Amino acid sequence: MTRFAVLLFLALGAPADAQTDPPLHRVEFEVGGGILGGASLGSADANLRANATTKQPYRLFSTASRISSRPAVHARIGYAFNRRFAIEGGGVFTRPVVRTSVSGDVEGAPALTVDERIDQYFVEASILVSFDEIRLGRRTVPFLAGGAGYLRQLHEGLTLIEEGHFYHLGGGLKHWLFARDRGFVRAAGLRADARVYLLLSGMSFDERPRPHGAASGSFFLAF
Amino acid sequence: MRVLSLALIALLLLPHRADAYLEFTISVAGQSTAFTWKKTPVRWFATDRGVPGVTASEFQAAVARAFTAWESVPSASIAFQFVGFTGAEPFDEDGVPVLGFQNEPDLDRVLGVTGFVVDTVTGEIVESDVFFNSAFPWSTSPSGDPTRFDLQSVATHEIGHFIGLGHSALGETEVRPEGGRRVLATGAVMFPISFGRGVTLDRELQPDDIAGVSDLYPDASFRKETGVARGRVVRNGAGVMGAHVVAFNPRTGSLIGGFTLNTDGEFQIAGLTPGPHVIRVEPLDDGDVGSFFAGRNPIELNFQATFHDRLFVAPAGGVGERFTVTVRPK
């Protein structure tokens, strides 16, 4: 991704040491990729009602599931109101594997582990707060980002498994490769993000929110 | 109108039972058709005779609560109406649904029996009667009486038959040394064997029962909001008849079952909540096979309980991807 970004920058023909700050008000478009971390989906027992006074259910078998870490790709578009605040919206796509273990069958059915690949789409909206006053060097600006979004999970690209919503919070760095005060493309740069997605719904076998860590890198253009 | 009388053998054998919903069917114009009530509310009468421990009015109230359990299923559209008390007997073919006590000491393992008169041209239930065997002690105590059978629980089961449901095999039993079976656990009111004296658990419908009544009497949303699993069970490449197939939704904890109903080993389970399910197949070894299949091809029991090697994802409306579960001989 870095190599691609640098090549594109060269193609734009702007010198690396040209200019100063990016435009105050700007639209940014970015694409990138990264890793979306896995998480436990919880465990569940297949229970029958026991014929006993103990009120303990009668367990037929047990299941436990986990969603795997997988590469993710994303695209975002944003608008900077000023040097401090920006909003952005975008989408993330990933294809994790849901691994389900089935065990402890009361009639001795052999335990097994089942893997199912699912398609997972995040549509998100975020607020970015940049800290221009604590630049790292001349061109690298730290930021915090938080927001919410809609989640859609499909099995084999067709059958809807779950949909729901999530929150995310994180931060990162924006590094300006160049910026100029005229032309259609006013600036370009690289961005690194680390964030936590807190999925409040979606495929889960218990009702607890599921945190997923994520790390990503992007190339962006400002207009 | 041609009618067929069916004494359905209510199989509340005292000490045991099995798992999953099944619908009563007849052949109409060469097609297997579930028989159902076509007009609602279904009107019913209660006999005007009580038994020791249960007056006629207590009987009527307990049975009315059992009807309400089925009527209250949100995804089903059947309704009932109590008309009044009657001096008629439950199994008179008089076109009037009657529920009441009847003394049948020879049926020493049967708590209740449901019978039908069915129009074999349309599949419509013309009449259904239920008797509760007064050879056994009964109770309508709110918390149950440990020395008596809970009338409301047994009535809830019999009314499942009354509306056209067969037995579910969702349950586990053990053989008693003195004969018969004892229920260890069940996942459906429609399991053929009663929990026993004093237990009131079967007053409350389970997901398997709810799927069954909703499939027979679907409301406007049921088909759109739930999915269907279809597939086969095979052993050595050949279909397995009478296998019990259970779909478990880990998210909701619900267990809904079905059976392979032909020699190709084909099954269908409707009423599944959208989302992933674990599929488990087992032989019908927790009850009398005759409780589930009367007069069909031989039921295959010689195979191991087996999980399907994939998750089945039920769609919201429609049928999910067909699948095959391969089982091995014991």
Side-chain angles (χ1 to χ4, degrees):
Chain A
M1 184 54 64
T2 302
R3 181 175 300 170
F4 171 75
V6 170
L7 288 174
L8 185 58
F9 161 71
L10 291 173
L12 291 168
D17 56 355
Q19 202 267 206
T20 53
D21 290 333
L24 197 59
H25 308 292
R26 60 187 183 273
V27 173
E28 291 180 7
F29 175 74
E30 69 172 77
V31 293
I35 294 285
L36 181 64
S40 169
L41 298 181
S43 58
D45 292 341
N47 289 325
L48 302 177
R49 302 167 301 161
N51 189 8
T53 55
T54 58
K55 305 283 186 192
Q56 292 291 321
Y58 183 94
R59 192 174 64 198
L60 204 54
F61 57 88
S62 299
T63 68
S65 294
R66 183 173 179 79
I67 194 165
S68 66
S69 299
R70 292 295 293 176
V73 294
H74 67 259
R76 300 186 185 109
I77 188 164
Y79 177 73
F81 294 103
N82 51 43
R83 296 201 189 287
R84 177 73 73 196
F85 295 106
I87 58 170
E88 65 181 18
V92 182
F93 172 71
T94 181
R95 297 194 73 204
V97 170
V98 174
R99 171 161 289 188
T100 301
S101 302
V102 187
S103 61
D105 185 79
V106 72
E107 293 187 40
L112 87 164
T113 299
V114 179
D115 285 346
E116 295 289 342
R117 190 172 293 283
I118 65 171
D119 295 344
Q120 198 163 239
Y121 299 87
F122 294 69
V123 180
E124 59 191 34
S126 313
I127 296 175
L128 268 69
V129 181
S130 297
F131 299 94
D132 209 38
E133 63 274 27
I134 52 172
R135 291 188 182 200
L136 308 175
R138 289 179 54 202
R139 302 185 199 155
T140 305
V141 178
F143 66 88
L144 292 175
Y150 164 78
L151 165 70
R152 187 175 178 86
Q153 295 169 321
L154 300 177
H155 181 243
E156 296 182 342
L158 292 172
T159 308
L160 177 66
I161 298 176
E162 284 291 341
E163 54 188 348
H165 61 284
F166 61 85
Y167 295 108
H168 69 84
L169 184 64
L173 298 170
K174 273 187 172 180
H175 177 75
W176 297 96
L177 294 172
F178 80 89
R180 59 188 183 184
D181 54 11
R182 61 181 183 280
F184 180 62
V185 177
R186 305 292 292 276
L190 302 174
R191 171 173 159 175
D193 271 72
R195 59 174 61 176
V196 174
Y197 287 95
L198 189 65
L199 276 56
L200 302 183
S201 47
M203 188 174 178
S204 176
F205 299 151
D206 54 36
E207 297 304 316
R208 286 177 295 189
R210 277 185 294 125
H212 290 252
S216 64
S218 318
F219 170 74
F220 65 87
L221 296 172
F223 306 95
Chain B
M1 179 172 67
R2 290 165 55 211
V3 295
L4 174 68
S5 296
L6 301 169
L8 276 173
I9 0 219
L11 335 249
L12 273 174
L13 311 176
L14 294 186
H16 40 229
R17 68 193 251 200
D19 142 43
Y21 75 84
L22 188 64
E23 295 162 1
F24 292 136
T25 61
I26 57 172
S27 180
V28 174
Q31 289 221 319
S32 181
T33 302
F35 50 83
T36 55
W37 295 94
K38 307 295 187 198
K39 302 182 192 78
T40 63
V42 179
R43 293 153 55 87
W44 61 279
F45 290 80
T47 58
D48 55 7
R49 297 175 302 284
V51 293
V54 179
T55 66
S57 61
E58 287 170 337
F59 170 82
Q60 185 274 332
V63 171
R65 288 193 294 272
F67 272 115
T68 300
W70 291 99
E71 194 174 69
S72 303
V73 172
S75 51
S77 63
I78 191 164
F80 307 97
Q81 180 184 6
F82 172 64
V83 181
F85 289 97
T86 178
E89 291 293 332
F91 276 64
D92 293 344
E93 285 189 23
D94 50 11
V96 176
V98 175
L99 294 88
F101 287 112
Q102 200 161 293
N103 189 27
E104 299 287 348
D106 292 342
L107 299 175
D108 62 352
R109 285 176 176 267
V110 177
L111 291 171
V113 173
T114 303
F116 296 94
V117 177
V118 178
D119 183 334
T120 57
V121 175
T122 63
E124 178 178 7
I125 300 173
V126 176
E127 179 185 350
S128 180
D129 295 329
V130 179
F131 79 71
F132 300 87
N133 192 348
S134 58
F136 295 97
W138 294 95
S139 164
T140 57
S141 165
S143 56
D145 178 337
T147 65
R148 294 168 177 270
F149 290 96
D150 182 54
L151 179 65
Q152 186 179 333
S153 295
V154 177
T156 307
H157 176 99
E158 293 306 324
I159 291 166
H161 292 316
F162 181 93
I163 61 176
L165 285 175
H167 279 146
S168 164
L170 268 175
E172 294 293 326
T173 64
E174 64 182 5
V175 176
R176 289 177 187 271
E178 67 272 25
R181 287 174 177 269
R182 188 180 91 86
V183 173
L184 298 173
T186 81
V189 169
M190 295 312 294
F191 192 76
I193 307 168
S194 165
F195 272 117
R197 296 171 195 242
V199 182
T200 60
L201 291 173
D202 278 346
R203 293 177 181 180
E204 186 179 349
L205 299 182
Q206 300 301 298
D208 187 71
D209 307 305
I210 291 168
V213 65
S214 304
D215 193 41
L216 280 178
Y217 303 93
D219 77 346
S221 63
F222 176 70
R223 303 274 184 232
K224 286 186 275 188
E225 294 177 358
T226 63
V228 177
R230 276 191 195 147
R232 292 182 69 209
V233 177
V234 300
R235 191 190 62 175
N236 298 328
V240 174
M241 168 76 184
H244 182 219
V245 185
V246 180
F248 171 61
N249 184 327
R251 185 166 154 238
T252 63
S254 67
L255 288 158
I256 299 178
F259 300 87
T260 58
L261 296 175
N262 57 33
T263 52
D264 289 333
E266 293 176 320
F267 67 87
Q268 170 173 309
I269 307 173
L272 301 178
T273 306
H277 289 72
V278 174
I279 302 293
R280 179 180 185 266
V281 179
E282 64 173 357
L284 273 179
D285 55 6
D286 282 296
D288 178 2
V289 167
S291 300
F292 305 96
F293 298 100
R296 293 202 185 228
N297 293 318
I299 302 304
E300 182 59 72
L301 299 175
N302 181 26
F303 63 91
Q304 299 173 9
T306 304
F307 292 107
H308 180 36
D309 60 5
R310 296 196 59 186
L311 295 180
F312 170 73
V313 180
V319 182
E321 185 183 4
R322 286 179 66 100
F323 57 93
T324 298
V325 183
T326 302
V327 297
R328 294 182 175 179
K330 283 181 178 172

